[in-house]
């Protein structure tokens, strides 16, 4: 069998090994919601994993799912067409099939109790696909915080109302953030796209103000902008500038880039 066949087979040792703890946590989250008669609010970009799909089905109408069309792949530009048809009528499914120019790149789940109250949020870079779990170095984070969960559900409703578009109302709503105290620290949550890059401006201020170190995880840092236009720089440019002569220069700052 080839690699695709092996990692796409439930209980295959190679699949289990490559998917690591990430797959286990995803399954445990969905199983816990089902066992507690809870519900989820999810917005997903891609979906084809043979273990995750049945768990969404098992939740029935308590699976509130906004399913995008993934990457733009002709002829239909909907790589989730098969699973969309499979879940239609079984789940509380809402299509979000955007046109070229923007991906509907959301990848989050809010787990709620039997009364519909949010309990925790799963976010991160992980696509709910065989390759997303087994052949990519994706990440996931689960935050046990009801207020953050409610904030994500609010965004879910904005996405539902947006349909297949990116209306100004969505981008304006995303133009501000909200902070939540969690375990002695603070999570400041942004959603994209914003109306004028407010999320990037906030990140630049954090980068410029770092005193000890910067840990930066990225897939594609973007195309570098001219040196004399710092307001247009990619975040990677802002980070690298901390080790270059200039107003924010700090030769002792620890920088670690992961990609």
């Amino acid at each position: 069998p080839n690699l695709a066949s092996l990692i796409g087979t439930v209980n295959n040792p190679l699949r289990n090994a490559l998917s690591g703890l990430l797959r286990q946590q995803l399954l445990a989250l969905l199983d816990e919601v089902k066992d507690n008669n809870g519900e989820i609010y999810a917005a997903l970009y891609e979906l084809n994993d043979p273990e995750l799909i049945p768990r969404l089905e098992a939740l029935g109408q308590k699976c509130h799912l906004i399913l995008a069309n993934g990457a733009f792949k002709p002829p239909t530009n909907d790589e989730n067409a098969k699973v969309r048809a499979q879940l239609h009528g079984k789940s509380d499914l809402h299509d979000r099939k955007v046109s070229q120019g923007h991906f509907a790149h959301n990848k989050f789940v809010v787990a709620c109790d039997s009364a519909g109250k949010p309990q925790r949020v799963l976010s991160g870079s992980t696509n709910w696909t065989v390759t997303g779990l087994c052949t990519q170095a994706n990440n996931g984070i689960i935050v046990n915080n009801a207020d953050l969960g409610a904030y994500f559900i609010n965004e879910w409703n904005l996405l539902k109302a947006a349909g297949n578009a990116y209306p100004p109302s969505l981008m304006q709503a995303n133009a501000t953030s909200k902070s939540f105290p969690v375990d002695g620290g603070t999570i400041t949550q942004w959603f994209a796209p914003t109306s004028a890059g407010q999320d990037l401006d906030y990140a630049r201020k954090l980068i410029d103000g770092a005193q000890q170190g910067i840990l930066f995880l990225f897939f594609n840092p973007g195309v570098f902008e001219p040196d004399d236009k710092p307001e247009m720089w990619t975040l990677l440019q802002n980070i690298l500038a901390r080790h270059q002569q200039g107003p924010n220069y700090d030769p002792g700052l620890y920088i670690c880039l992961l990609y």
Side-chain angles (χ1 to χ4, degrees):
N2 59 27
L3 178 62
S5 175
L6 293 173
I7 63 176
T9 301
V10 176
N11 294 326
N12 181 273
L14 182 61
R15 168 185 166 84
N16 292 348
L18 291 177
S19 58
L21 293 176
L22 184 57
R23 173 184 139 274
Q24 295 176 29
Q25 291 296 317
L26 284 172
L27 298 177
L29 177 71
L30 296 175
D31 287 343
E32 181 180 352
V33 172
K34 174 63 177 175
D35 292 343
N36 293 334
N37 196 31
E39 56 188 301
I40 66 168
Y41 289 82
L44 300 177
Y45 172 62
E46 295 177 321
L47 178 61
N48 68 25
D49 188 77
E51 286 187 281
L52 295 175
I53 293 172
R55 282 168 168 80
L56 296 179
E57 281 189 291
L59 291 169
Q61 294 299 313
K62 291 191 173 185
C63 170
H64 310 289
L65 173 61
I66 294 173
L67 184 60
N69 49 333
F72 303 123
K73 294 184 178 180
T76 64
N77 286 332
D78 182 11
E79 65 176 293
N80 295 321
K82 181 178 179 180
V83 69
R84 192 184 309 280
Q86 180 180 342
L87 293 176
H88 182 71
K90 298 177 182 177
S91 303
D92 178 27
L93 178 66
H94 303 271
D95 296 334
R96 182 159 167 76
K97 296 185 281 188
V98 301
S99 59
Q100 287 187 332
H102 287 288
F103 290 138
H105 215 219
N106 304 100
K107 308 168 188 181
F108 69 79
V109 177
V110 182
C112 302
D113 63 16
S114 58
K117 296 180 180 179
Q119 302 295 303
R120 59 189 58 87
V121 176
L122 165 72
S123 186
S125 69
T126 305
N127 287 315
W128 286 40
T129 62
V130 173
T131 53
L133 286 175
C134 299
T135 65
Q136 300 170 2
N138 279 314
N139 64 81
I141 181 171
I142 296 176
V143 181
N144 299 317
N145 186 280
D147 292 335
L148 180 63
Y151 193 55
F152 267 83
I153 291 177
N154 180 71
E155 180 71 10
W156 188 94
N157 282 306
L158 291 172
L159 292 172
K160 176 185 173 183
N164 299 328
Y166 285 95
S169 57
L170 174 65
M171 293 186 285
Q172 190 58 47
N174 290 344
T176 56
S177 64
K178 194 170 182 180
S179 296
F180 303 86
V182 178
D183 295 339
T186 300
I187 290 178
T188 299
Q189 178 63 47
W190 288 89
F191 296 105
T194 59
S195 60
Q198 292 90 343
D199 54 336
L200 298 179
D201 290 340
Y202 179 82
R204 292 187 181 102
K205 290 180 180 178
L206 294 179
I207 291 168
D208 291 344
Q211 298 179 5
Q212 296 178 327
I214 300 173
L215 305 180
F216 190 62
L217 176 66
F218 66 89
F219 171 66
N220 183 343
V223 178
F224 277 23
E225 300 291 344
D227 289 344
D228 61 350
K229 294 186 179 296
E231 72 280 0
M232 298 175 59
W233 284 359
T234 68
L235 296 184
L236 178 57
Q237 282 179 274
N238 286 97
I239 292 171
L240 296 177
R242 294 299 310 271
H243 274 188
Q244 298 168 355
Q245 293 292 338
N248 292 313
Y249 175 62
D250 184 349
L253 189 69
Y254 174 75
I255 295 177
C256 181
L257 304 178
L258 305 174
Y259 58 93

